[in-house]
Amino acid sequence: MIGGTTRVCAVIGDPIKHSLSPPMHNAAFRSLGMDLVYVAFRVRKDELRAAIEGIRSLGILGVNVTMPHKTRVLRFLDKVDVTAREIGAVNTIVRSDSELHGYNTDGQAALASLASLGCSLSGSAGVILGAGGAARSIAYHLCRVVESLTILNRTRSKASSIAGKARMWSGARCRSHRLDRTSLRQELSEASLLINTLPVHVFPRIGKTLIEQRLVRPGMLVLDINYQSKNDFLAEAKLAGAKVSDGLDMLVRQAALSFRIWTGRDAPIEIMREAAIKARRTCPK
Ligand code: ATR
């Protein structure tokens, strides 16, 4: 029951109405009998500062931050933990006393999702498609465990900036190339791990899907951070014998990490997953 003592958690972004975070977190709060509720706020770019002030004045406990605010939000927070600062993006805010602290749980969730496939990442050769915020947070964690990491992106300079940072963060061999059919074929011939951070709508511009069965080796680990239920990219990889993980698993894991930051408790992860799968069914493709 929502009452006078109920505290609020929220997600801010634009667009936001199809977010799976409210059903996931509300299912978790309900199952643990917590006096908390989770809502989605559409916040336009030029209203971000005011929205953050609103979090302070309304005493909101915890906030997830999504597109397009993950980078710009840093300047409005009182403290940003070292991982989020190095990545340059925040996806979780917690109110601690009267201060707002920022964290980034995306990369950690991606690695946990890959680890759940039951193979070791250590010593592997990884390829990341894309060089946006998600790619940066995954590269931050991945470069510490793999032997080599290649970033492929339409805009080469952005890929090369992440590869440069990853070299600073770790001892891994990190390179970058412009993303095209040739570089994709070449890099995948040596890779044991492939992570796609590109949006779904990119695929038709390169081919029916960006990945083809013949480019994937059996046993390869493949993660696509997109969480639509129909996923041609992963379907092709699976047919080729890869072990695949979709973005829904990563989404649930990042939500569980946020939940822990806000409440100090372990999240009921299977209940959150169930709620996310159910909500995804009603999500537009
Ligand atoms: P996110 O935070 O989800 O990673 P982002 O920071 O906006 O989102 O990054 C989007 C990624 O998708 C980038 O790698 C972008 O490539 P550019 O760096 O060249 O912009 C890539 N992307 C978006 N639209 C694309 C398209 N039509 N073709 C190829 N790549 C595209």
Side-chain angles (χ1 to χ4, degrees):
M1 255 278 275
I2 295 175
T5 56
T6 305
R7 307 266 329 254
V8 175
C9 292
V11 57
I12 58 171
D14 185 19
I16 203 63
K17 66 180 173 190
H18 301 302
S19 169
L20 301 183
S21 294
M24 262 195 296
H25 283 286
N26 285 318
F29 296 152
R30 262 195 314 275
S31 81
L32 296 177
M34 299 174 91
D35 193 11
L36 287 165
V37 67
Y38 189 109
V39 291
F41 292 122
R42 179 179 177 203
V43 173
R44 291 189 178 85
K45 265 189 180 167
D46 58 355
E47 289 168 339
L48 182 60
R49 179 195 291 271
I52 300 297
E53 287 316 310
I55 293 170
R56 286 181 205 283
S57 55
L58 297 173
I60 289 176
L61 171 66
V63 173
N64 284 129
V65 183
T66 188
M67 261 181 35
H69 305 310
K70 284 185 183 181
T71 303
R72 237 185 107 235
V73 76
L74 267 78
R75 70 187 75 168
F76 303 124
L77 304 177
D78 301 300
K79 273 194 200 146
V80 176
D81 98 317
V82 61
T83 302
R85 201 166 349 107
E86 291 209 270
I87 293 168
V90 157
N91 76 332
T92 305
I93 300 172
V94 64
R95 186 191 176 83
S96 175
D97 299 324
S98 55
E99 289 194 339
L100 298 182
H101 297 177
Y103 296 86
N104 190 310
T105 64
D106 284 334
Q108 205 183 329
L111 258 68
S113 194
L114 284 166
S116 75
L117 297 176
C119 300
S120 166
L121 302 178
S122 125
S124 59
V127 173
I128 296 180
L129 308 181
R136 211 164 52 230
S137 59
I138 294 171
Y140 179 83
H141 291 274
L142 199 59
C143 68
R144 290 154 208 271
V145 289
V146 295
E147 174 103 22
S148 70
L149 186 60
T150 304
I151 319 285
L152 302 179
N153 193 46
R154 173 180 65 175
T155 311
R156 167 84 195 273
S157 58
K158 280 161 91 183
S160 122
S161 150
I162 297 184
K165 285 223 165 105
R167 277 194 293 274
M168 248 171 48
W169 292 327
S170 71
R173 277 184 292 116
C174 302
R175 305 176 290 171
S176 66
H177 293 290
R178 192 180 134 68
L179 171 62
D180 55 34
R181 285 217 169 275
T182 312
S183 64
L184 190 61
R185 194 178 319 116
Q186 204 154 12
E187 293 303 321
L188 288 189
S189 68
E190 291 165 15
S192 45
L193 168 64
L194 170 63
I195 297 173
N196 177 47
T197 72
L198 297 172
V200 170
H201 72 264
V202 166
F203 300 147
R205 301 187 184 201
I206 300 190
K208 180 173 164 282
T209 71
L210 188 53
I211 189 148
E212 299 160 26
Q213 264 189 60
R214 62 190 173 88
L215 296 180
V216 176
R217 293 206 309 258
M220 194 182 228
L221 303 186
V222 181
L223 168 68
D224 186 344
I225 73 162
N226 293 294
Y227 55 76
Q228 285 78 3
S229 44
K230 182 176 174 332
N231 189 321
D232 294 336
F233 182 86
L234 288 186
E236 291 274 333
K238 212 169 172 178
L239 280 173
K243 295 187 171 186
V244 305
S245 181
D246 74 3
L248 191 113
D249 186 63
M250 178 181 155
L251 182 81
V252 172
R253 288 175 191 276
Q254 67 78 26
L257 291 167
S258 297
F259 182 98
R260 192 169 171 77
I261 290 171
W262 299 329
T263 67
R265 298 177 64 169
D266 285 337
I269 194 157
E270 290 314 318
I271 286 173
M272 294 170 91
R273 187 188 310 280
E274 227 174 87
I277 291 170
K278 199 167 156 197
R280 181 173 66 173
R281 276 188 216 124
T282 56
C283 234
K285 298 275 177 295

